[in-house]
Amino acid sequence: MKIAQIAPLYESVPPKYYGGTERIVSYLTEELVNQGHDVTLFASGDSLTKAKLHPVGESALRLNCHYLDPFAHHALLLGQVSRLAPSFDILHFHIDYLHFPMSRILQIPHLTTLHGRLDLPDLPLLYQEFSEMPVVSISNAQRHPLLFVNWQATIYHGLPENLYAFNPQPENYLAFLGRISPEKRLDRAIEIAIRAGMEIRIAAKVDPADEKYFQKQIKPLLAHPLVNYIGEIGEKEKNDFLGKAYALLFPIDWPEPFGLVMIEAMACGTPVIAYRQGSVPEVMQDGKTGFIVENLEQAVITVERISQVSRLGCRQVFEEQFSAKRMAKNYLRLYQTLTKTRVRPRLVS
């Protein structure tokens, strides 16, 4: 098939540091190429891929201080996609709803994977207007605020099987990996580690929008002798960071759409201690890949029980359920369905 993958421009594909959506776009694109498909990736100019790269801008927006208006770059992206659309069998968008007005009038099969939270009050009216758009959820929990939209499937994220090496012998520290923001609850993770009497190593970035929260709520906690703040790390450092951890802490306080770091930890053989929010009960197998907890006290207790979890079992669950091959297979099945049923554009009166 001739497939277009359309990525957001905030990070390169794959991202240099943090960037869950762009990372998944990369894994999917590379696996589709591996399986012999003709794939074009629309992404920032510093992206790296075995597919045909259609660059939009010289570099990703987040790390380029000269780019001030992200919407200008995404308008350029949409213009170029629409111009080249007839040359593809299907367009696969990863940019939320930005393309919906354009996709409504294009006579090309298309699909949108929704990567973010859908419980925002701004969204119901928009999705009611564009209710015919074929969309994919990354967990069943993600769908709950917008059950009425045109869901085609739930397709879980996947990683290349050789991306992370299995580590059967962990060191004596707990890990936190991701963004420092109110909903990720690093403050909880630090308290869990301190109460359990274990070192916590924090590999995380701070977005400009969260800088005030970091300075006021998190920075004072970093002075504790059990807290080791590393900062943002790249893909190369992740394997050691996650693989050597005794457990990953994921004490979220929001309806997490997927939680990529959970399967990254599983791929290394590292169990996860996660709060029961959003997709967690779908991604985690309680007692097999870690523990799902309801509160701080349960989290502290389960730190002591982590040795009961088989690290090899964590790796096996990853291989069976969360590989890039499995993800690509599920998307290809959907591409074929959509190209066969080829829906005509909706006429608006």
Side-chain angles (χ1 to χ4, degrees):
M1 297 184 75
K2 294 195 69 175
I3 304 164
Q5 296 289 336
I6 299 101
L9 304 175
Y10 297 104
E11 306 285 349
S12 62
V13 177
K16 304 291 188 295
Y17 296 102
Y18 186 87
T21 298
E22 294 84 359
R23 200 172 303 284
I24 290 301
V25 173
S26 176
Y27 300 152
L28 175 59
T29 298
E30 303 312 296
E31 183 56 35
L32 291 171
V33 172
N34 290 342
Q35 294 187 22
H37 296 278
D38 184 352
V39 186
T40 298
L41 172 65
F42 290 79
S44 64
D46 53 346
S47 298
L48 299 173
T49 180
K50 291 183 291 186
K52 299 170 185 173
L53 177 64
H54 184 99
V56 181
E58 294 181 359
S59 61
L61 302 182
R62 184 171 75 90
L63 299 178
N64 191 323
C65 62
H66 300 293
Y67 292 158
L68 301 179
D69 183 357
F71 297 105
H73 298 269
H74 284 92
L76 179 63
L77 168 67
L78 292 178
Q80 294 177 4
V81 170
S82 66
R83 175 167 52 83
L84 297 172
S87 63
F88 298 105
D89 295 319
I90 193 161
L91 309 174
H92 188 169
F93 292 94
H94 302 269
I95 55 175
D96 291 326
Y97 47 77
L98 292 180
H99 61 96
F100 282 1
M102 177 187 83
S103 294
R104 173 173 276 174
I105 59 175
L106 284 177
Q107 298 188 38
I108 305 298
H110 59 87
L111 175 68
T112 303
T113 296
L114 299 177
H115 291 267
R117 66 188 300 174
L118 300 179
D119 62 331
L120 305 179
D122 318 74
L123 296 181
L125 281 177
L126 180 128
Y127 280 94
Q128 287 169 13
E129 169 63 27
F130 294 99
S131 60
E132 81 279 13
M133 293 290 134
V135 292
V136 164
S137 52
I138 56 177
S139 68
N140 293 324
Q142 184 195 29
R143 298 184 178 198
H144 290 166
L146 299 174
L147 291 173
F148 61 87
V149 304
N150 188 16
W151 296 112
Q152 300 293 305
T154 290
I155 299 179
Y156 295 132
H157 289 338
L159 311 176
E161 290 185 28
N162 61 355
L163 183 65
Y164 293 102
F166 171 63
N167 186 348
Q169 297 295 332
E171 296 180 8
N172 196 37
Y173 68 89
L174 301 170
F176 179 94
L177 177 66
R179 281 187 296 118
I180 296 179
S181 59
E183 67 272 15
K184 298 290 187 177
R185 294 305 299 264
L186 175 56
D187 57 328
R188 274 182 183 167
I190 291 172
E191 188 169 359
I192 292 166
I194 291 172
R195 287 201 192 184
M198 288 189 69
E199 177 189 5
I200 180 170
R201 297 183 188 177
I202 302 162
K205 75 163 185 172
V206 183
D207 282 336
D210 297 312
E211 182 65 35
K212 187 178 292 186
Y213 167 77
F214 171 73
Q215 293 294 335
K216 185 176 181 181
Q217 302 293 333
I218 299 300
K219 194 172 182 180
L221 305 178
L222 304 182
H224 195 282
L226 287 175
V227 178
N228 182 356
Y229 177 53
I230 297 169
E232 191 172 5
I233 62 174
E235 192 66 42
K236 291 180 180 178
E237 297 88 5
K238 267 184 169 183
N239 200 145
D240 274 354
F241 179 78
L242 285 173
K244 292 179 179 178
Y246 187 67
L248 171 75
L249 297 181
F250 196 65
I252 54 171
D253 193 17
W254 74 304
E256 173 68 64
F258 186 81
L260 186 60
V261 69
M262 290 189 286
I263 66 171
E264 290 175 330
M266 288 180 211
C268 298
T270 300
V272 182
I273 298 172
Y275 273 50
R276 189 184 298 276
Q277 294 281 349
S279 67
V280 166
E282 294 177 61
V283 178
M284 292 278 296
Q285 293 187 25
D286 192 34
K288 186 168 184 179
T289 60
F291 295 105
I292 301 173
V293 301
E294 308 286 349
N295 52 51
L296 192 69
E297 288 70 26
Q298 287 184 11
V300 173
I301 291 169
T302 56
V303 172
E304 300 174 3
R305 297 174 55 205
I306 279 294
S307 61
Q308 301 171 15
V309 177
S310 165
R311 293 179 73 90
L312 181 59
C314 292
R315 174 71 191 190
Q316 288 172 339
V317 170
F318 157 71
E319 291 178 352
E320 291 166 3
Q321 298 187 17
F322 300 111
S323 71
K325 286 182 180 178
R326 184 184 180 104
M327 173 176 65
K329 178 181 177 182
N330 289 334
Y331 274 117
L332 281 167
R333 186 183 300 121
L334 190 50
Y335 296 163
Q336 290 161 359
T337 298
L338 290 169
T339 53
K340 287 176 184 176
T341 56
R342 202 178 179 98
V343 179
R344 289 184 175 276
R346 173 181 168 186
L347 298 177
V348 182
S349 58

